[in-house]
Amino acid sequence: MARPRRRRRRGGCLPALGVAVLAVLVVGLGVAGVVALLDRARPERPVAERCVAHLDGTDWSLSPDQAQNAALVSSLAVRRGLPARAVTIGLATALQESRLENIDYGDRDSIGLFQQRPSQGWGTVEQIMDPVYSTTKFYDGLEKVAGYQDMPVTQAAQAVQRSGFPDAYAQHEARSRAWASALTGFSPAALRCTLRPVATPTGTGPVTDRVARDWGDLPAVVTLADGPEGTASTVDLDATSIAPQDVPRAAWGLAQWAVAVARDTGADAVTVADQRWSRADPTWRPTGAPALPTGQVRVTVTG
């Protein structure tokens, strides 16, 4: 009698297929884990530091070093009671002459922000290399130019500088006008800087020192943090005396000056009205808190 045939079990390949799928999944998870680990281990990209002033739909960039020099060129003009047009002329001149950098070299014996020459009676080398002195000398010359406010920028600048390239200043007019408008408060919330976190907190000293240099005896109230390490101290500035006829505008000009010099002062944040700029969020945003008193600008530092 013939033995009944044993049926061959179909689907015998399924266990093998399951093992293969499982292996693929394990390998995939392993690769994903390695990638995630490498992502965590990879150092963050360094922040590309830059400052911009926005006007008429365009961002006009400067480096943080150029920005802090622009802030000085503006503040010294405002202290003299000069109009924003004078700031535009000053910035365009310095951009053409030195790229708005306080350099110790140039054509023949030209040096400094405005490339002034000791041999032409602008002062000593030490004096001209002081940006406060050199900017003051430029405005001394500009104020002697009758009708400079109504002149083309290049003509007004040339009247002071007497450059061998008298038409070159015009190329910097748009950038200079954007920065002048922000630094004098005519363009609120238009100037911002992207900066790295403060490496070593230095307290409020650099802020008050810079205020004294750029603004003289501008009222400032320092509040030191009273708490654990890492809490913030503040310097409250009063813009009322800058332009009593338009205090809100003066406050915005002062606030944007504070942002432009933040790289050098170590400021973490600047607040004016109900708006705040910070290194962590480098644009102007509502604070969500009650607005500061009109004319008050608060500079916050860590440590």
Side-chain angles (χ1 to χ4, degrees):
M1 185 173 177
R3 295 180 179 177
R5 295 182 180 178
R6 294 182 179 177
R7 287 187 177 183
R8 181 179 296 173
R9 289 186 299 176
R10 295 182 181 180
C13 63
L14 288 178
L17 179 60
V19 171
V21 170
L22 181 60
V24 170
L25 287 174
V26 170
V27 172
L29 290 172
V31 171
V34 171
V35 170
L37 182 61
L38 290 175
D39 282 342
R40 286 195 295 270
R42 183 183 302 152
E44 294 183 4
R45 292 182 180 180
V47 173
E49 296 190 309
R50 72 165 188 154
C51 299
V52 299
H54 185 86
L55 187 67
D56 298 335
T58 301
D59 282 344
W60 297 95
S61 314
L62 292 177
S63 71
D65 188 51
Q66 291 173 311
Q68 62 91 17
N69 283 323
L72 174 66
V73 170
S74 177
S75 66
L76 293 184
V78 172
R79 286 177 64 182
R80 295 171 75 114
L82 300 181
R85 182 66 171 175
V87 180
T88 298
I89 296 167
L91 292 176
T93 303
L95 278 166
Q96 173 58 30
E97 297 291 354
S98 69
R99 295 188 69 253
L100 202 48
E101 297 171 350
N102 193 33
I103 54 178
D104 60 358
Y105 59 88
D107 179 46
R108 289 171 282 189
D109 60 338
S110 300
I111 53 173
L113 274 180
F114 294 90
Q115 289 291 281
Q116 295 153 337
R117 299 178 60 190
S119 64
Q120 299 298 311
W122 285 97
T124 66
V125 170
E126 183 179 6
Q127 287 173 325
I128 296 172
M129 285 304 298
D130 176 359
V132 175
Y133 174 91
S134 61
T135 303
T136 298
K137 292 293 286 185
F138 175 80
Y139 285 133
D140 286 346
L142 184 63
E143 286 190 286
K144 295 175 183 176
V145 179
Y148 75 85
Q149 297 184 50
D150 301 318
M151 291 180 179
V153 164
T154 190
Q155 184 179 341
Q158 175 64 4
V160 180
Q161 296 294 107
R162 304 193 180 281
S163 167
F165 303 94
D167 298 325
Y169 303 105
Q171 64 185 309
H172 305 290
E173 181 171 0
R175 186 183 308 274
S176 300
R177 187 163 59 89
W179 277 82
S181 184
L183 287 167
T184 55
F186 284 99
S187 296
L191 192 160
R192 63 189 187 277
C193 289
T194 300
L195 303 173
R196 301 184 186 100
V198 177
T200 305
T202 56
T204 59
V207 176
T208 55
D209 289 347
R210 184 64 188 243
V211 170
R213 192 195 81 164
D214 289 16
W215 293 101
D217 57 355
L218 190 74
V221 177
V222 176
T223 302
L224 298 177
D226 185 14
E229 184 179 357
T231 55
S233 301
T234 60
V235 181
D236 285 340
L237 306 174
D238 185 355
T240 304
S241 62
I242 295 175
Q245 72 282 7
D246 193 347
V247 175
R249 177 179 65 79
W252 268 108
L254 182 59
Q256 294 184 116
W257 166 90
V259 173
V261 302
R263 192 277 311 263
D264 289 0
T265 63
D268 276 312
V270 177
T271 306
V272 60
D274 64 346
Q275 299 289 312
R276 185 175 188 265
W277 166 91
S278 70
R279 290 180 185 242
D281 187 7
T283 189
W284 290 99
R285 297 189 186 280
T287 61
L292 294 179
T294 301
Q296 182 175 331
V297 174
R298 176 164 294 164
V299 181
T300 304
V301 297
T302 300

